Structures are given as C-alpha cells and as structure tokens.
C-alpha cells in the first residue's frame, strides 16, 4: 500500500485544527489551509505554505499559521478585514502574509496558542528548542523567549486555559509544564511515566488533556 500523508488545516464546526493521514511506503503531501474544506486564497504569499503544523485564532477572527517548512508564522485576515466572522465566505478571499517578528528567528515553529485576554500569541519552536510569547502579533510582533527549562526546551504542544495559564508539552522531557499567566517559573505537572505528550487542550473547567 502506498504511503500517503496530508497536512491540512480544516475547520471543524467553529474550530480550526491540523490533521494528517498516513499509510505505508513513499510520501505525498498536500500543503493547504482550508475553511469548511474550501482553500483559503494565499495569493501574494511567497513561498507557499510548506508543512503547516499549527494554527490559532485571535478573538477578532485573525488566524495565525505555523508554517513549519518555511520557518515562519503566517497571518490570515478575512476579506472583510479584522473582525470578519470566522468561517464566513469572506475568508475565501482572505489575505495571507508572513509575520516579521522582532526578537526571534524561528527554526521550525510547530504549535501555536493565543491568550485571549492579552492578545499574546505563543509559539512553540521545536526545532529551535524554544517557546516564545509574541506581543502585538497583528501590528508590531515582538517576541520574548520563555525559558521554562533553562535551555533544555523541546516543546511539542501548547494550550491556554480560561485563567490565562499556559501549558507546554515537552515530549523529550516526557512532561507537561504550567506557567501561571504565561510567566516563569514553570510547574511540572504530574503525568504517567513514559508518556511523550504531543498535543494539548483544556476544557471549560481548566482540566488539561
């Protein structure tokens, strides 16, 4: 059976997610961002997306994509501008542009999360061994590294709960770390031995999965 892998971002209900499919021998990969399974326009975005692995949305509907293969973050704004309804037809003619972020050189951003209270965008750069807090991501993006392990970071996933706490999954350390309001020091959460977390989410009661 041929090995087929796809890296697509799909809107499921009102949410955005990253999905992949793989099965047996050589690899074929599709690179796209989808809304209701209809591609976003990325006219003017050069180079085109390459292996996007993370996505996050600001409360105003602005979407950020971790364009892993191109070592950058891409911002997508609906044709109606900031504030357009997420999932609306306006996104079919959305504008996409790479962010110029001060204070960081990404090596392979793979996961994103948004603090809806502050508007900060969190970026997990697994290849670079770092997590960044990017303030003013829509206007003047400025990044600050969050050294939750003093230089031994290998972040694989991020999540923010309703109390604005940041959770970082680190598969290399086989651990999940909690940062109150996204600031250090980090608290290591109790997890089963041998678990290598690669994804995170939280619920309305701030339980972590």
């Amino acid at each position: 059976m041929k090995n087929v892998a796809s890296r697509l971002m799909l809107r499921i209900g009102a949410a955005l997610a990253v999905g992949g499919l793989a099965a047996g021998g050589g690899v074929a990969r599709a690179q796209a961002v989808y809304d209701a399974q209809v591609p976003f326009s990325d006219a003017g975005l050069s180079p085109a997306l390459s292996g996007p692995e993370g996505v996050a949305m600001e409360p105003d509907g602005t979407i950020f994509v971790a364009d892993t293969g191109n070592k950058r973050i891409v911002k997508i704004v609906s044709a109606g501008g900031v504030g357009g309804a997420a999932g609306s037809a306006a996104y079919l003619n959305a504008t996409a542009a790479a962010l110029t972020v001060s204070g960081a050189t990404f090596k392979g951003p793979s996961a994103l999360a948004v603090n809806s209270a502050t508007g900060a965008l969190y970026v997990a750069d697994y290849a670079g061994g770092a997590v960044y807090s990017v303030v003013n991501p829509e206007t003047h993006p400025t990044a600050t590294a969050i050294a939750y392990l003093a230089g031994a970071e290998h972040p694989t996933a991020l999540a923010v709960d309703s109390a604005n706490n940041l959770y970082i999954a680190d598969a290399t350390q086989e651990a999940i770390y909690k940062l109150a309001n996204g600031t250090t020091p980090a608290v290591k959460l109790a997890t089963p031995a041998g678990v290598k977390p690669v994804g995170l989410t939280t619920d309305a009661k701030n339980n972590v999965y």
Side-chain angles (χ1 to χ4, degrees):
M1 186 176 185
K2 290 185 178 180
N3 207 358
V4 179
S6 64
R7 293 282 183 179
L8 305 177
M9 273 176 285
L10 306 178
R11 185 176 65 87
I12 304 171
L16 287 167
V18 177
L21 175 65
V27 174
R29 177 176 291 181
Q31 315 292 355
V33 179
Y34 282 72
D35 174 51
Q37 300 188 31
V38 179
F40 286 101
S41 169
D42 62 355
L45 183 63
S46 179
L49 294 173
S50 176
E53 293 189 5
V55 64
M57 181 182 285
E58 291 278 6
D60 63 16
T62 298
I63 297 168
F64 295 97
V65 179
D67 187 7
T68 309
N70 288 316
K71 304 177 182 179
R72 66 183 180 180
I73 305 299
V74 170
K75 179 177 73 172
I76 298 173
V77 180
S78 73
V82 172
S88 70
Y91 273 106
L92 301 183
N93 296 307
T95 58
L99 289 187
T100 299
V101 181
S102 299
T105 300
F106 300 122
K107 295 183 179 180
S110 55
L112 303 175
V114 166
N115 184 321
S116 59
T118 66
L121 174 69
Y122 296 114
V123 180
D125 188 351
Y126 180 84
V131 173
Y132 295 95
S133 172
V134 181
V135 297
N136 302 316
E138 296 185 25
T139 53
H140 300 90
T142 302
T144 301
I146 301 174
Y148 65 94
L149 277 180
E153 295 85 359
H154 291 91
T156 48
L158 302 172
V160 179
D161 67 17
S162 62
N164 304 319
N165 298 308
L166 172 65
Y167 298 89
I168 302 171
D170 192 310
T172 301
Q173 301 294 333
E174 300 182 356
I176 296 173
Y177 299 90
K178 176 182 178 181
L179 286 76
N181 295 311
T183 60
T184 54
V187 176
K188 183 178 179 180
L189 302 184
T191 57
V195 171
K196 297 180 181 293
V198 295
L200 286 177
T201 191
T202 61
D203 64 17
K205 296 183 179 179
N206 294 339
N207 296 308
V208 181
Y209 300 90

